[in-house]
Every structure is written in C-alpha cells, then in structure tokens.
Amino acid sequence: MITDLRSDTFTKPSPAMLEAMFTASVGDDVFGEDPSVNKLEHMAAEMFKMEAGLFCPSGTMTNQIAIKVHTQPGDEVICENLSHVYIYEGGGIAFNSGCQVKAIKGDRGRLNALAVSEAVNPSDIHKARTSLVSLENTANRGGGSCYTFTDIQQIKEVCLQNNLKFHLDGARLWNAMVAKKETASQYGEIFDSISICLSKGLGTPVGSVLLGTKDYIQKARRVRKVFGGGMRQAGYLAAAGIYALENNIDRLAEDHLHAQQITSALTKKNWVGEIMPAETNIIIFEVLAPFSPKSLADKLAEFRIQVMPISATQVRMVTHLDITTEMVKNLINIIGTL
C-alpha cells in the first residue's frame, strides 16, 4: 500500500461516503432544484451562522468568486505574500477581477493588524483603491499555521475603520478550528465571506462552499455561472460534503497527532534542518546533506512513501484521513534508518 503524504487532496471517498453519494437525491442545481446541493449549502451556512452558501467545484473558484464580488477592476487586495489566492490560483485576481495585489510578508503565512493597516492605500487618485483583505487559515505555506482569533479580530477592526471587506480562504479552516477549539459561528460573525473546502481534511472527492449574506451569494451565483461553474445533478458530489460535515470533522485531531509524531521523528535526524511547528496536519522541513528534497523524496518512494519537494531546500508532508496509525509508525521507522 502506498502512503501518500503529498497532500490531503489525495483522499479517496470511504465506502460510507460512496454509499451516501450513490443514494443521493438530485435535481438540476442551475435551476436551484437539487435537494442535496440545497441541503449542503443550508447546512454549511447554518454551521457558520451565515445567511447563505454556494456550492462550487473548487476552493480556487470560491475564492475567485468571492474576490470578484467584493471588488471592482482597478482595486487592490491585501493578502500575505504566500497566500493561496496570490501564488496558487493562476493569477486569477488579475485575470478574473482586474485587481492588483499588495502582498505582505507575514509570520508563517499570517498577517497582523499593524501590517494590514500600514498597507491600506490613502484616498489618492494615484493609488489603487484598497477594497479587500484576504486571510488564509490554516496557512498552507506556513506549515499549517493557525491564526489566533484575537489577531483576526484586530484585523477586522482595521477593515471596519477603512471600509474594507474581509474574506477568509478557509481551505483548511476545519483543521484550525479543531486545533484551536474554536467554533464555526465565531468565524461567521467576523468575516464578510468564507470559502470552506470539503475535499482536503474532510475527504470528499470534489467541492467547496462559499458563504455570505443572501444578497452576496445571489451575486456570487451569477459569477459562478459566468466562470462556468454551474453544475447540473451536482447532488452526487454534495452528498459527499453532507456526509463529511456530519462525520469527518472531529477526527481531524488524529491527523494533527500523526503530524506531531512524524515531526518528532524528523527532529532527531542530522539531515533535517529547520522544521516549521506542526500545529495541524502539515509538516514543512528543511533538508540538509547528504539529501536534497528530490533525493529524499526519491528515497522514500523506494518504500512506497510519497512526499512533495516544495522548494530547493524544503519537503512537505500532509497527513489526512487515508493515513493510518500503522502508516505513520512505518514512516517513523524508515526515517530512523536514513
């Protein structure tokens, strides 16, 4: 059996999730008539105490729709310089929304209120109009780092003072909430829009949900159509999301424990340099001689373990629901021999 630690996007639906998909009630979602999609959107919105939701094929689409609805061409979006919306969405902010980005170097993918405040442009016709702040929680390239809720609240105050919209890329928000013992409603109270991903830690094959007010989501639905995201009998996919919300959130703590156990094993090796703190399910570490990121990945592949070199010096491992305790023990044993 292959132990695939490249990403938590490599999960496969469990037999119970597949059964939920096979037996889903479906209709035409573009007409608003798919009962499973409607149930998922309502369920997600209710969890976060927000008014409405919109089911989309991907987190990139929910993020890009969110930015499009919040901005006008020529505006500026503030985000951290390693944010997914900035470096991993194909230049979508420029292409889809006609906006530029002010990317700020933060702390392991996280911004603070002072940095955001200093980045807001003055009211000057020579400057782009700052209109949106986007955070990512957890921060992928920050090693799955989590914001403190106090920091988020302080950034919200900056947004209110400057009449800025506040978006959350919550691709791994479930991981942050489990790690920090936070509630979904806390986030729903503070953000204008939230993108939640179902196909990472929660293990569905496809899908993310964008949350906001009814008026905002109605506008987002139109943009989804323009982006080609109007799906028909999408209830087969939505059913997987419903199953995941009902069954796969609390178990994320197991993924976090596995990441901590692997990190502990790595700290004992002289070919491992700096390791980012494993707050959730992502491990990013520096690889030293005699290995390089690629040669280490190749060596582990000999043991049917897949990891991802993410830079000239770093490797990433991501735990998820398809990584068992036995797989983790085997990996730790192999690390010990290298």
Side-chain angles (χ1 to χ4, degrees):
M1 180 175 292
I2 294 174
T3 301
D4 197 335
L5 292 157
R6 289 175 295 168
S7 176
D8 44 9
T9 60
F10 284 93
T11 58
K12 303 291 197 303
S14 66
M17 183 179 285
L18 284 172
E19 179 64 21
M21 296 170 71
F22 287 143
T23 59
S25 298
V26 298
D28 191 320
D29 181 48
V30 175
F31 282 78
E33 295 178 1
D34 190 299
S36 296
V37 172
N38 293 342
K39 179 179 178 180
L40 172 63
E41 292 173 345
H42 177 77
M43 180 185 297
E46 178 62 25
M47 287 180 71
F48 284 82
K49 297 297 184 285
M50 301 182 83
E51 291 182 1
L54 180 67
F55 183 51
C56 294
S58 71
T60 293
M61 181 173 281
T62 47
N63 282 331
Q64 290 301 313
I65 291 173
I67 294 167
K68 177 70 174 173
V69 177
H70 281 312
T71 63
Q72 294 295 319
D75 284 358
E76 187 166 84
V77 178
I78 295 172
C79 64
E80 209 275 341
N81 73 333
L82 295 177
S83 294
H84 194 281
V85 297
Y86 179 50
I87 63 174
Y88 289 130
E89 297 188 5
I93 293 175
F95 189 89
N96 297 315
S97 297
C99 293
Q100 65 185 35
V101 172
K102 185 168 286 182
I104 307 169
K105 181 173 175 55
D107 171 31
R108 290 192 294 126
R110 300 165 300 183
L111 298 177
N112 60 55
L114 177 60
V116 172
S117 179
E118 292 176 344
V120 178
N121 285 332
S123 180
D124 181 339
I125 62 170
H126 301 90
K127 302 283 188 178
R129 184 179 75 98
T130 306
S131 60
L132 176 65
V133 176
S134 177
L135 305 186
E136 181 181 335
N137 197 28
T138 67
N140 173 18
R141 287 301 298 266
S145 60
C146 305
Y147 275 90
T148 68
F149 206 77
T150 298
D151 283 344
I152 293 174
Q153 290 172 316
Q154 291 173 349
I155 295 171
K156 174 66 172 183
E157 286 302 312
V158 174
C159 292
L160 291 173
Q161 292 164 11
N162 292 277
N163 195 30
L164 308 179
K165 296 299 183 181
F166 200 22
H167 173 66
L168 178 63
D169 173 4
R172 294 181 176 90
L173 179 57
W174 312 106
N175 294 89
M177 290 192 298
V178 168
K180 294 291 189 180
K181 295 180 171 55
E182 298 162 340
T183 65
S185 61
Q186 285 179 271
Y187 284 87
E189 290 173 2
I190 207 162
F191 284 95
D192 296 299
S193 57
I194 300 176
S195 165
I196 52 171
C197 187
L198 304 169
S199 63
K200 294 186 175 72
L202 297 194
T204 75
V206 173
S208 289
V209 180
L210 178 62
L211 302 172
T213 65
K214 288 181 180 178
D215 180 64
Y216 178 83
I217 293 300
Q218 185 58 38
K219 294 174 182 175
R221 194 172 294 277
R222 176 177 289 275
V223 176
R224 185 187 69 171
K225 182 63 175 175
V226 173
F227 283 0
M231 299 178 286
R232 300 298 179 173
Q233 288 71 40
Y236 296 112
L237 300 174
I242 293 167
Y243 179 89
L245 292 181
E246 291 176 341
N247 296 278
N248 288 352
I249 295 176
D250 290 343
R251 62 145 308 280
L252 291 170
E254 181 180 339
D255 298 340
H256 302 169
L257 176 61
H258 287 162
Q260 291 161 13
Q261 291 169 337
I262 295 167
T263 297
S264 179
L266 289 169
T267 61
K268 300 171 184 176
K269 307 306 295 186
N270 59 12
W271 44 265
V272 175
E274 181 182 359
I275 307 177
M276 291 187 182
E279 288 188 68
T280 51
N281 68 321
I282 298 177
I283 308 155
I284 294 179
F285 62 96
E286 181 184 17
V287 180
L288 305 177
F291 292 109
S292 68
K294 184 180 185 306
S295 69
L296 177 62
D298 290 344
K299 184 65 177 177
L300 290 172
E302 295 176 11
F303 299 94
R304 299 177 67 79
I305 296 168
Q306 295 180 293
V307 300
M308 182 179 288
I310 60 169
S311 74
T313 60
Q314 293 173 311
V315 160
R316 185 184 78 163
M317 299 179 181
V318 186
T319 57
H320 49 79
L321 58 80
D322 285 352
I323 300 300
T324 65
T325 298
E326 290 70 29
M327 289 176 177
V328 172
K329 289 179 179 178
N330 180 55
L331 171 60
I332 289 171
N333 289 335
I334 291 167
I335 289 172
T337 68
L338 299 180

